[in-house]
């Protein structure tokens, strides 16, 4: 589908401005991925530092979920009023600064507080980045969402590799995170001034809270399933590899790196796949790959097989978020940003509550047993998922 015809609200830009904004958005997605990847790769170290059980770690992850959900419930209206470029000039640097404070936490109580703040910036940044991506995509005749999401995954791979190597050399988490935060902050200050504008809504947003319509609700439910699985893979892959599959401390972060690499590879091919085969077919194949990967992770508890399973899972999850958020942007009649924000709030609820839910469930059934829930969600994506997306697309 021609994205200009679909979105159509963004003003035209010169070729130079389009190239500049595309490069800036690419850097922003890379920055976002490195920041979150640094956090995810350090989770085993944080668990060890505070001597946390899986359920206690789940509570730490829950603070991120609460902060993100609170901010994401508001960010759509802010984006509609001011536009993603203006909002990102504040959000991206704040996200980088918040990351630096995580390993500095001297107590579990302060870790909860910093996690809440980091989660708030992370949730808002995700919605704002995707809104900016759709704004840029609206000025082109070809999709770009998957390629930009690939850079997010590559950022996670870079972070996991860096953290893993640094830990093997005996570096402390704080000496890893502070330099990363400084580099990310400088990148944020550079790229946010070069993003695309013109996506602020010219109409006054309707007042009061409104439930999402059926189209966005259906897309949001699918996004919930996808992002629940993605959040669990990201936050628990390193811990699972260490605690269940027997990987060494320095090797465990590479479990997250394997997942990120496979996601990045899938997303680099995603725009081509969507343009050639359509979002519905991408959803079908992706669900099967995710299901295969999770079966390997749950059934064979040896770290090389776990890494392979995470690779399949990453390929399966790679292009589902770009497909669903693009559909959500098309589905909202008033604003692309509000469509993305609405589906994101529903979907990212899964991303953010998934990790703490798995931590709590593991107290009763163990970590491998709790991963069966993610397996069930993958099965739902394979079976009714395509018909749900088809129905939402027809209504749009």
């Amino acid at each position: 589908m021609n994205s200009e015809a679909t979105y159509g609200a963004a003003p035209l830009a010169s070729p130079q401005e389009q190239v500049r904004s595309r490069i800036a958005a690419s850097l922003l997605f890379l920055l976002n991925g490195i920041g979150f990847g640094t956090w995810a790769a350090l989770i085993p170290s944080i668990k060890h530092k505070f001597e946390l059980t899986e359920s206690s770690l789940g509570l730490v992850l829950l603070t991120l979920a609460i902060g993100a959900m609170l901010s994401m419930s508001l960010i759509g209206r802010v984006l509609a009023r001011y536009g993603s470029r203006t909002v990102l000039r504040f959000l991206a640097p704040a996200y980088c600064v918040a990351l630096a404070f995580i390993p500095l936490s001297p107590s579990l109580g302060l870790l909860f507080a910093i996690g809440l703040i980091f989660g708030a910036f992370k949730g808002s940044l995700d919605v704002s980045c995707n809104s900016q991506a759709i704004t840029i995509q609206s000025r082109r005749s070809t999709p770009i969402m998957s390629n930009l999401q690939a850079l997010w995954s590559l950022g996670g791979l870079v972070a996991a590799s860096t953290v893993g190597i640094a830990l093997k050399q005996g570096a402390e988490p704080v000496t890893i995170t502070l330099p990363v935060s400084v580099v990310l902050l400088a990148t944020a200050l550079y790229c946010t001034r070069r993003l695309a504008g013109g996506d602020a809504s010219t109409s006054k947003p309707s007042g009061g809270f409104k439930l999402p319509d059926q189209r966005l609700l259906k897309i949001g439910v699918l996004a919930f399933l996808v992002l629940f699985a993605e959040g669990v893979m990201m936050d628990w892959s390193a811990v699972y590899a260490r605690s269940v599959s027997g990987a060494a401390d320095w090797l465990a972060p590479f479990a997250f790196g394997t997942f990120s690499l496979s996601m990045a590879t899938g997303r680099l091919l995603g725009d081509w796949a969507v343009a050639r085969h359509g979002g519905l077919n991408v959803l079908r194949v992706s669900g099967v790959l995710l299901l295969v990967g999770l079966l390997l992770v749950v059934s064979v508890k040896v770290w090389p097989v776990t890494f392979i399973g995470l690779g399949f899972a990453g390929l399966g999850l790679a292009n589902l978020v770009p497909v669903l958020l693009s559909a959500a942007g098309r589905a909202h009649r008033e604003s692309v940003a509000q469509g993305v924000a609405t589906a994101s709030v529903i979907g990212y609820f899964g991303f953010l509550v998934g990790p703490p839910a798995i931590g709590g469930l593991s107290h009763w059934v163990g970590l491998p047993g709790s991963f069966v829930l993610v397996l069930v969600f993958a099965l739902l994506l394979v079976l009714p998922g395509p018909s749900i997306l088809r129905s939402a697309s027809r209504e749009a």
Side-chain angles (χ1 to χ4, degrees):
M1 181 178 292
N2 187 303
S3 58
E4 288 183 357
T6 302
Y7 298 107
L12 295 176
S14 68
Q16 293 81 2
E17 289 174 329
Q18 291 187 41
V19 170
R20 184 178 66 178
S21 62
R22 172 69 185 273
I23 293 173
S26 299
L27 288 173
L28 192 60
F29 272 82
L30 186 66
L31 173 156
N32 191 351
I34 291 174
F36 188 78
T38 301
W39 150 254
L42 286 174
I43 288 176
S45 297
I46 294 172
K47 181 176 182 291
H48 176 74
K49 174 182 177 180
F50 293 103
E51 299 180 346
L52 301 174
T53 63
E54 277 77 12
S55 57
S56 298
L57 178 59
L59 292 177
V60 175
L61 300 177
L62 182 61
T63 63
L64 272 77
I66 293 171
M69 292 305 300
L70 289 174
S71 67
M72 290 171 70
S73 65
L74 303 173
I75 195 63
R77 294 174 65 85
V78 177
L79 286 167
R81 180 173 181 179
Y82 297 105
S84 57
R85 179 172 62 184
T86 299
V87 173
L88 283 165
R89 285 182 179 178
F90 163 75
L91 273 180
Y95 169 74
C96 301
V97 173
L99 173 66
F101 281 91
I102 291 175
L104 295 173
S105 305
S107 67
L108 187 58
L110 280 176
L111 180 63
F112 283 143
I114 294 171
L116 188 74
I117 296 170
F118 181 70
F121 287 132
K122 169 62 179 169
S124 297
L125 184 65
D126 284 342
V127 177
S128 303
C129 286
N130 285 310
S131 180
Q132 173 67 198
I134 293 177
T135 298
I136 296 172
Q137 182 172 270
S138 69
R139 297 166 178 170
R140 302 170 59 91
S141 59
T142 56
I144 64 168
M145 278 288 286
S146 289
N147 281 342
L148 289 176
Q149 294 282 347
L151 291 170
W152 191 94
S153 299
L154 283 173
L157 172 63
V158 169
S161 302
T162 301
V163 171
I165 293 171
L167 289 174
K168 183 172 175 58
Q169 298 301 318
E172 294 294 326
V174 66
T175 62
I176 299 170
T177 308
L178 287 180
V180 170
S181 298
V182 170
V183 173
L184 294 184
L185 178 60
T187 304
L189 294 174
Y190 169 81
C191 69
T192 52
R193 301 181 63 86
R194 292 161 173 80
L195 296 171
D199 57 347
S201 177
T202 56
S203 61
K204 185 178 179 180
S206 54
F209 172 78
K210 293 191 302 183
L211 290 172
D213 62 24
Q214 287 189 355
R215 296 168 298 170
L216 286 173
L217 187 58
K218 289 176 180 178
I219 295 169
V221 168
L222 292 178
F224 175 88
L225 299 177
V226 170
L227 287 166
F228 188 103
E230 186 173 327
V232 170
M233 294 297 104
M234 288 183 173
D235 281 1
W236 283 104
S237 58
V239 175
Y240 192 100
R242 176 68 185 92
S243 302
V244 177
S245 302
D249 285 340
W250 68 269
L251 187 61
F254 287 94
F256 173 77
T258 300
F259 177 76
S260 296
L261 176 60
S262 63
M263 284 195 76
T265 302
R267 284 172 169 173
L268 288 172
L269 301 172
D271 289 329
W272 170 85
V274 171
R276 183 175 178 86
H277 300 290
L280 285 174
N281 287 325
V282 169
L283 176 63
R284 291 188 183 97
V285 174
S286 297
V288 172
L289 289 171
L290 174 60
L291 190 61
V292 170
L294 286 168
L295 283 170
L296 288 173
V297 170
V298 170
S299 60
V300 185
K301 303 176 184 66
V302 180
W303 72 259
V305 177
T306 297
F307 278 40
I308 294 171
L310 289 170
F312 274 104
L315 286 173
L317 288 167
N319 294 299
L320 294 178
V321 168
V323 166
L324 294 173
L325 292 187
S326 293
R330 296 191 296 269
H332 200 286
R333 293 186 178 91
E334 296 179 10
S335 164
V336 168
Q338 289 194 51
V340 173
T342 300
S344 294
V345 167
I346 300 171
Y348 275 80
F349 181 70
F351 183 83
L352 297 162
V353 305
I358 292 299
L361 189 59
S362 68
H363 178 72
W364 303 101
V365 298
L367 201 52
S370 65
F371 266 55
V372 174
L373 178 61
V374 190
L375 192 97
V376 172
F377 284 4
L379 194 60
L380 291 174
L381 287 169
V382 171
L383 298 178
S387 62
I388 293 173
L389 182 59
R390 184 189 301 112
S391 173
S393 299
R394 284 175 179 171
E395 292 171 6

